Amino acid sequence: MSRFLITGAKIADPASDREYEADLRIADGLIAEIGDGLAAGEGEEEIEAKGRILCPALVDLRATACEPGPGAPERLDTTARAAAAGGIGTLVLAPESGHGLARPEDIELVEARALTLPVRVHAGGLAAHDGEMAEIGLMLRAGALYVGDGGRPIADSRLVRRILSYAGGFEAWVSLRPEDAHLAAGTVAHESDMSVRMGLATRPGVSERLAAERDAGLVELTGGRLILDRVTTAEGLIALRAAKRRGLEIAATAPVTHLMFNEIDAGNFDARYRLEPPLRSQEDREALIEAVREGLIDAVVSDHVPVSRVDKANPFADALPGSSNLEALLPALVSLVEEGRLSLLQALRPVTSGPADLLGLPQGRIEEGAPADLLILDPAAPVVHGRTGTVSQGSSAFSGRRLFGKVLMSFVEGAIILQPET
Amino acid sequence: MGRASFAYDFPHRNLLSAGSLNPLDVQMLFERAGEHFERNREPNKKLDALKGLTQINLFFEPSTRTLASFELAGKRLGADVVNFSAGNASTKKGESLADTAETLAAMNPDLLVVRHQSAGAAAFFADVTGISTINAGDGAHEHPSQALLDVFTLSRHWGEIGGRRIAIVGDIAHSRVARSNVSLMNLLNAEVRLCGPATLLPPDADRWGATVFHDLDAALEDCDAVMTLRLQRERMSGGLIPSEREYAALYGLTHKRLEAAKPDCLVMHPGPMNRGVEIHPALADDPDRSVILEQVESGVAIRMAILEMVASRAPNMRYEDDR
């Protein structure tokens, strides 16, 4: 196995909340040593990284691939290569991936496919199938990192209670999209003065709060563990903050798109911005950034949903929701740092140690003995998303956007998986 | 008579929303529509202003009066008019709307008149094809030609609509007619009131430049005109109102109710009507109050004016002088 010595980099480690200059040695797939003035040993390749950031490779808790099942527009290997290009070291497929990851066999298939992929790939399983609880225990045993509703809110509170209770017996997280299913039914946009004038079917922000409060109540009842999957509104954050204050085991994710865009971006019926959940108001966006800043959000997710350009070539309401975001996740967050909205550690935490700690993964941190899943990053490099092409062929809300942050090199388990030509 | 030449250079290649117009555009359209309105009452209605041009009426949603109105308008101006009632057939076969648009564009029409169930669809066609497009109703978004014909009808009675008080009653939330009318009436400085049960009024409707009422009697006070909208029966199954009977009792327009308005208050309806629900049959048929049939008549004239104006800016338009 290759050995590397990275010298002179500025290490940014959200897990220890420290930024410092040091050299770092990689051996046997692990971070072997961190210190000043380390010398390259025999057979060790030295990588000079002065002036660059060395940080953990990203852990993305939510991406969909069109596998298993019919493979348009993006097979799992493409999704994994897109993740690699985006500086992601660990990718967790959302339960609705492919035809839906509802059986232990589906999880086993993903785990087996992951052996040949450049990044670590795991999966979440669907907690319910056809209105009944799915084989939660067997899916967890097959390697599912959590179970969840796969973005389809479960209106039946009794079923949610049973899922939280049953999964809690395995100490497993249950990931639920906080959305009142009835308020959201048939809607395509956030309810606001603008979207109503546009004549779009809309859902109010309070829909998120209502569902989050219901689910928090059921956590209290069952003692389960809940991830509020993709909080996007100030209303939802109110419920999250209150639930955390009550000491409940509740975590939350936020999609990177909603940190970057607001409903105005979709204001010209541009189907690239047809997302689920829909883009929210600027006030919601500000509240979400603040929640990331203060650490209320445990993980920022790419929410990568590859949608073919054909499926986007329709009027806004008829276009399939989704955007290819894997390659924009890191530049988007770094752009918020460049804008002075977040510190580098605040931006990196919810895509490294935040999600890793949540799921008990050893990566996502820079410490001796941890897996050598690392990035060398130039945070000041401007990039126009998609200008030089992207691995993912899906439509992206980030296309043409000027962002900051270029991954110069990345390692997964001590192996170089990305070394773009300069 | 050859192609029309206009003193005012109409600046729009498309008519996608009422809000995109300026008062001069509206004045120009109304002047021209006025000429057509009179001519349409004569035996010889035919002009050749659009001779040689092809107009495709592309209707993805069922429509009788709007389609007939645009068809008549195009034919009276000498265009070759093709009606294409897509009924979403192509997209049901797996084709995206962009594919459909490009296929139609390959037939080299000069004007597209688009009705579609999705907001933004007309703009989508204009973007994809580059062909001059008129929005004949896109979802709950806009129906600009309806608003123009409504205001044109009022202006024929009043001259100016500025300073007049107009109530729009009914299912505002799902109405493209209401959205376009509020824009246009605001543009021309009319006072607009919106009235309906809270479930049929969009949130923040008071920020549209209109005053919101839930009490019809209060909304009608001193109004110069009232437009009642069709209550779509499917809205009732969604629990938006308790029953048709209750709606008729609270929001149905009658002679008695109209006493709160000005004595010469005009009554409008974009049609088709649910008689006995949103409007009492006797009021709908009252020639002293109802201008509903006049709206239909105005529709052909205003659409002739729209087609002419938009065609004068169409990318494929070749003026006689240029040949």
Side-chain angles (χ1 to χ4, degrees):
Chain A
M1 192 168 260
S2 303
R3 296 162 63 90
F4 301 95
L5 179 68
I6 302 169
T7 58
K10 183 179 180 187
I11 292 177
D13 178 35
S16 61
D17 203 25
R18 289 175 63 209
E19 289 182 73
Y20 56 101
E21 273 191 24
D23 304 329
L24 183 146
R25 192 185 312 279
I26 297 173
D28 301 324
L30 303 175
I31 298 171
E33 191 179 7
I34 303 170
D36 290 326
L38 299 183
E42 196 178 323
E44 211 167 52
E45 184 181 333
E46 184 171 339
I47 298 164
E48 162 61 45
K50 194 156 183 62
R52 310 297 190 199
I53 299 289
L54 178 64
C55 65
L58 272 47
V59 178
D60 180 16
L61 289 193
R62 180 169 243 290
T64 53
C66 303
E67 207 175 346
E74 190 167 293
R75 305 289 297 180
L76 186 51
D77 57 349
T78 308
T79 307
R81 283 191 293 111
I88 292 162
T90 302
L91 186 70
V92 184
L93 292 185
E96 70 269 30
S97 275
H99 56 46
L101 307 173
R103 302 169 306 153
E105 292 86 344
D106 299 324
I107 307 295
E108 284 163 1
L109 184 72
V110 172
E111 292 287 316
R113 292 276 284 109
L115 297 174
T116 60
L117 299 173
V119 300
R120 299 174 196 271
V121 175
H122 298 290
L126 279 169
H129 190 52
D130 291 338
E132 303 284 337
M133 241 197 301
E135 292 173 318
I136 290 173
L138 291 179
M139 285 194 291
L140 292 169
R141 190 193 285 174
L145 291 190
Y146 66 87
V147 293
D149 64 5
R152 290 197 172 174
I154 302 171
D156 181 349
S157 301
R158 190 173 62 167
L159 179 58
V160 174
R161 173 189 182 171
R162 289 173 178 170
I163 290 167
L164 281 166
S165 177
Y166 188 79
F170 298 88
E171 296 192 351
W173 287 98
V174 176
S175 165
L176 300 175
R177 164 83 198 116
E179 191 81 78
D180 183 287
H182 296 298
L183 276 176
T187 63
V188 299
H190 175 62
E191 191 157 295
S192 69
D193 187 25
M194 189 184 85
S195 57
V196 169
R197 287 294 292 268
M198 289 164 74
L200 296 170
T202 61
R203 78 184 68 158
V206 77
S207 168
E208 217 175 66
R209 179 174 171 177
L210 290 177
E213 286 176 349
R214 177 199 71 168
D215 295 343
L218 292 173
V219 167
E220 210 158 17
L221 181 68
T222 60
R225 312 174 87 184
L226 170 68
I227 299 173
L228 292 175
D229 175 28
R230 291 171 295 161
V231 175
T232 57
T233 64
E235 293 271 4
L237 290 168
I238 291 170
L240 171 64
R241 192 169 273 118
K244 285 202 171 187
R245 231 178 250 144
R246 274 148 61 199
L248 301 175
E249 278 210 89
I250 291 188
T253 69
V256 67
T257 41
H258 293 63
L259 294 173
M260 292 300 288
F261 307 128
N262 65 26
E263 59 174 347
I264 308 287
D265 291 295
N268 199 25
F269 296 108
D270 188 338
R272 285 182 305 153
Y273 300 100
R274 166 96 161 87
L275 304 176
E276 182 54 51
L279 287 174
R280 307 293 187 172
S281 70
Q282 177 62 10
E283 290 74 24
D284 290 316
R285 180 180 169 236
E286 295 286 350
L288 212 55
I289 292 172
E290 176 58 25
V292 169
R293 209 178 64 77
E294 67 179 273
L296 187 66
I297 297 292
D298 300 87
V300 169
V301 294
S302 72
D303 199 20
H304 175 80
V305 180
V307 174
S308 74
R309 286 174 173 79
V310 170
D311 288 324
K312 284 288 187 187
N314 284 302
F316 186 81
D318 300 332
L320 283 187
S323 166
S324 288
N325 301 331
L326 286 169
E327 291 155 271
L329 175 60
L330 183 60
L333 288 167
V334 171
S335 297
L336 291 174
V337 177
E338 285 292 316
E339 288 172 21
R341 313 295 294 271
L342 298 172
S343 71
L344 184 61
L345 290 178
Q346 285 165 346
L348 288 176
R349 184 173 294 112
V351 284
T352 54
S353 61
D357 289 347
L358 184 66
L359 296 181
L361 304 174
Q363 59 267 33
R365 67 205 70 243
I366 297 187
E367 62 186 36
E368 290 177 8
D373 288 19
L374 298 163
L375 295 182
I376 300 175
L377 172 71
D378 179 357
V383 289
V384 177
H385 188 77
R387 175 162 287 176
T388 53
T390 52
V391 176
S392 176
Q393 293 305 299
S395 161
S396 178
F398 290 94
S399 285
R401 293 279 180 154
R402 186 169 180 268
L403 304 171
F404 285 92
K406 189 172 182 185
V407 179
L408 303 174
M409 188 177 273
S410 71
F411 301 83
V412 171
E413 216 171 312
I416 295 176
I417 61 160
L418 182 75
Q419 191 171 15
E421 291 173 16
T422 52
Chain B
M1 186 172 174
R3 295 255 154 83
S5 60
F6 305 109
Y8 169 63
D9 197 10
F10 191 73
H12 309 285
R13 277 177 52 170
N14 306 295
L15 179 61
L16 303 175
S17 77
S20 66
L21 298 171
N22 67 46
L24 204 53
D25 297 331
V26 179
Q27 183 190 337
M28 188 70 189
L29 282 163
F30 283 7
E31 280 175 14
R32 191 65 181 159
E35 294 168 26
H36 293 311
F37 189 93
E38 299 305 328
R39 191 180 304 103
N40 284 341
R41 290 183 164 181
E42 301 297 322
N44 183 12
K45 302 170 177 62
K46 192 97 172 178
L47 297 173
D48 58 4
L50 300 188
K51 190 176 178 185
L53 300 188
T54 303
Q55 169 192 337
I56 296 185
N57 296 329
L58 185 56
F59 277 56
F60 289 85
E61 254 187 359
S63 160
T64 305
R65 67 186 63 208
T66 304
L67 177 60
S69 186
F70 269 111
E71 183 178 2
L72 266 180
K75 285 180 172 169
R76 284 184 184 170
L77 292 168
D80 296 319
V81 182
V82 178
N83 291 336
F84 184 66
S85 296
N88 226 3
S90 52
T91 44
K92 275 182 186 158
K93 290 173 189 165
E95 187 174 274
S96 72
L97 204 62
D99 291 334
T100 306
E102 281 164 5
T103 303
L104 285 165
M107 297 177 194
N108 295 317
D110 304 282
L111 291 162
L112 290 179
V113 178
V114 176
R115 167 168 288 191
H116 195 279
Q117 61 276 14
S118 292
F124 180 85
F125 269 91
D127 284 348
V128 171
T129 65
I131 294 167
S132 284
T133 302
I134 296 161
N135 183 2
D138 60 332
H141 179 222
E142 285 251 17
H143 195 354
S145 67
Q146 177 71 43
L148 283 163
L149 77 86
D150 291 336
V151 175
F152 174 71
T153 304
L154 294 175
S155 71
R156 277 181 44 80
H157 284 265
W158 301 336
E160 298 284 328
I161 75 156
R164 297 283 185 164
R165 179 178 288 173
I166 303 160
I168 303 176
V169 183
D171 185 357
I172 311 292
H174 302 95
S175 173
R176 52 194 173 210
V177 174
R179 282 172 178 76
S180 286
N181 262 301
V182 172
S183 285
L184 193 61
M185 289 170 178
N186 276 339
L187 181 77
L188 301 176
N189 298 317
E191 180 195 333
V192 186
R193 293 178 163 189
L194 298 174
C195 179
T199 46
L200 297 181
L201 276 159
D204 304 328
D206 54 334
R207 292 164 63 182
W208 290 14
T211 317
V212 171
F213 292 80
H214 301 304
D215 178 345
L216 182 56
D217 296 320
L220 290 176
E221 199 174 321
D222 290 329
C223 275
D224 295 288
V226 53
M227 178 189 301
T228 182
L229 302 171
R230 185 171 73 92
L231 184 69
Q232 296 170 40
R233 289 198 154 88
E234 60 269 25
R235 304 285 174 224
M236 290 171 225
S237 63
L240 291 172
I241 56 170
S243 70
E244 199 171 290
R245 186 173 67 167
E246 177 164 325
Y247 183 83
L250 298 181
Y251 296 99
L253 208 56
T254 61
H255 276 104
K256 175 76 181 153
R257 272 250 157 74
L258 217 53
E259 286 173 9
K262 286 187 179 164
D264 54 354
C265 176
L266 299 174
V267 172
M268 312 182 84
H269 194 301
M273 287 181 282
N274 294 309
R275 288 171 177 266
V277 182
E278 67 263 8
I279 189 165
H280 193 278
L283 182 58
D285 297 333
D286 180 351
D288 294 332
R289 291 302 186 96
S290 170
V291 292
I292 293 170
L293 288 177
E294 196 181 321
Q295 285 175 272
V296 178
E297 188 177 6
S298 296
V300 179
I302 203 82
R303 285 171 178 130
M304 289 173 76
I306 292 168
L307 287 168
E308 269 186 308
M309 293 286 176
V310 169
S312 73
R313 301 291 296 176
N316 291 343
M317 183 67 187
R318 295 178 300 276
Y319 291 94
E320 284 178 341
D321 294 347
D322 297 336
R323 291 180 190 163

